[in-house]
Amino acid sequence: MTIQWFPGHMTRAKRQIQDKLKLIDLAIELLDARVPLSSRNPMIEEILNGKPRLIVLNKSDLADPRTTEQWMAYFASEGHECVAVDSSTGTRVGEIPMKAKEILHEKIARQAAKGMNPRAVRGLIVGIPNVGKSTLINRLAGRNIALTGDRPGITKGQQWIKVGTEMELLDTPGILWPKFEDELVGYRLAMIGSIREQVLNVDDIAFFAVRELAGRYWNTLAERYELDAPPKDAADSEEIVRVMEDIGRRRGCLISGGRVDLEKTSGIILRDLRAGKLGRITLEAPPY
Ligand code: GDP
């Protein structure tokens, strides 16, 4: 999915979410566990305007488990409840309704004190494209639901999806946009396959990927492609291109004159990275 976000689209998306906020008790902010910063909407606080929030790190099956632990601790230190899940298999997804109830326990207790029967907690999933919103909704619902996006001109009544007996979700997630102004954010999202390659050049994305991996995940890279010479300086572009060429030679990506076909090599690196063949990788650590 490629969405071109313009100021008008952002305003509309923000309004669509804000309209839904009136219907819900809490927002479920879905982030990609591999890039919790880059998959975050820069205006999330402002958009949610104080609405209780549960942070869910999705695709944790592809992320470095140690860094995911650090992120959980970081969000907790910031006063947020957080769960790390894998929506594709459902691992730990069951914790979401439990955490939601925990976040709203005071409200629920107040209702009970007034003699009201506490109703199911009502939630809305929000996140940038491709972070796994539809997959998570289907997983929580326990069945496949045909999700229609918010499209102008199509009016559709909101449907509540039951998640067990204690939670209900709006069937249409809130779609947010990432922080485009930062070039690195764009490249990181492209690396994990969240931005289509028509927008950014494959060679450039792979270059960024190798540069990032050569620092923190050199051993994984070296093992996968049988490399023996780490870059002397990961900030040196020529060194990174040299590593890419080594990978290309190992994979037989050669063109006339024995030169390395960098485009083909780049394709291989990105496919491996996105398929988890370079191991469980997180590109962003908590900011402390
Ligand atoms: P949406 O645009 O936010 O609704 O994202 P989708 O639900 O369409 O998911 C985007 C892609 O990510 C799909 O190919 C999903 O199969 C995949 N996906 C979603 N959640 C997970 C997860 O937890 N782990 C893995 N490995 N893949 C996931």
Side-chain angles (χ1 to χ4, degrees):
M1 179 194 334
T2 314
I3 297 187
Q4 294 283 356
W5 291 96
F6 299 109
H9 294 133
M10 295 183 189
T11 306
R12 196 176 65 216
K14 185 174 154 191
R15 286 212 191 109
Q16 275 168 343
I17 291 179
Q18 286 177 332
D19 282 347
K20 290 175 187 164
L21 290 182
K22 297 173 200 134
L23 307 171
I24 58 155
D25 303 305
L26 110 154
I28 297 169
E29 184 194 4
L30 204 55
L31 302 177
D32 189 309
R34 296 166 294 174
V35 285
L37 288 174
S38 293
S39 58
R40 188 153 228 210
N41 177 276
M43 290 167 72
I44 190 70
E45 306 279 344
E46 185 191 324
I47 293 172
L48 296 182
N49 194 19
K51 189 60 84 176
R53 171 171 28 147
L54 170 62
I55 296 174
V56 175
L57 293 169
N58 193 37
K59 307 198 189 186
S60 62
D61 54 308
L62 300 173
D64 184 333
R66 274 172 316 167
T67 319
T68 300
E69 284 301 321
Q70 290 168 3
W71 274 109
M72 306 263 290
Y74 170 76
F75 285 125
S77 75
E78 296 272 294
H80 292 296
E81 291 284 345
C82 175
V83 207
V85 306
D86 166 3
S87 298
S88 62
T89 61
T91 305
R92 297 188 69 180
V93 160
E95 288 178 30
I96 293 175
M98 278 161 30
K99 288 274 183 193
K101 267 186 76 177
E102 257 171 62
I103 292 171
L104 295 167
H105 72 274
E106 280 177 19
K107 189 172 174 180
I108 294 169
R110 274 201 306 277
Q111 286 172 343
K114 286 188 207 152
M116 290 158 72
N117 255 343
R119 62 162 172 75
V121 167
R122 292 190 157 168
L124 168 70
I125 291 180
V126 298
I128 66 168
N130 238 333
V131 75
K133 297 180 294 299
S134 316
T135 311
L136 177 60
I137 292 178
N138 283 323
R139 187 55 70 181
L140 283 166
R143 63 200 156 95
N144 273 346
I145 292 165
L147 297 167
T148 56
D150 274 330
R151 271 173 286 161
I154 298 180
T155 44
K156 175 175 163 283
Q158 292 290 347
Q159 303 282 327
W160 291 103
I161 297 168
K162 283 201 185 326
V163 182
T165 52
E166 297 186 328
M167 188 170 177
E168 290 177 352
L169 276 184
L170 274 179
D171 68 342
T172 326
I175 302 175
L176 295 167
W177 60 97
K179 192 175 166 199
F180 290 115
E181 311 85 72
D182 186 338
E183 187 189 53
L184 194 59
V185 170
Y187 277 106
R188 284 186 176 155
L189 291 174
M191 264 182 240
I192 60 166
S194 275
I195 290 182
R196 284 254 225 120
E197 280 156 13
Q198 286 93 309
V199 185
L200 297 166
N201 182 297
V202 178
D203 298 15
D204 289 342
I205 305 168
F207 174 87
F208 265 82
V210 171
R211 198 177 70 177
E212 300 228 6
L213 299 179
R216 288 171 62 192
Y217 294 102
W218 172 256
N219 290 344
T220 325
L221 212 54
E223 205 174 301
R224 173 84 188 164
Y225 300 116
E226 299 163 84
L227 306 174
D228 35 41
K232 286 182 211 79
D233 175 7
D236 180 345
S237 303
E238 286 185 20
E239 277 286 290
I240 300 304
V241 172
R242 198 262 305 151
V243 172
M244 289 173 77
E245 287 171 346
D246 286 352
I247 296 173
R249 267 189 289 275
R250 286 290 184 192
R251 290 289 133 134
C253 303
L254 298 176
I255 38 178
S256 59
R259 281 189 299 126
V260 173
D261 183 340
L262 270 185
E263 196 175 335
K264 197 165 167 205
T265 308
S266 298
I268 290 176
I269 295 168
L270 292 178
R271 259 197 312 282
D272 285 353
L273 172 67
R274 291 168 187 164
K277 290 190 176 148
L278 298 180
R280 298 174 68 177
I281 279 169
T282 302
L283 299 172
E284 293 168 342
Y288 51 37

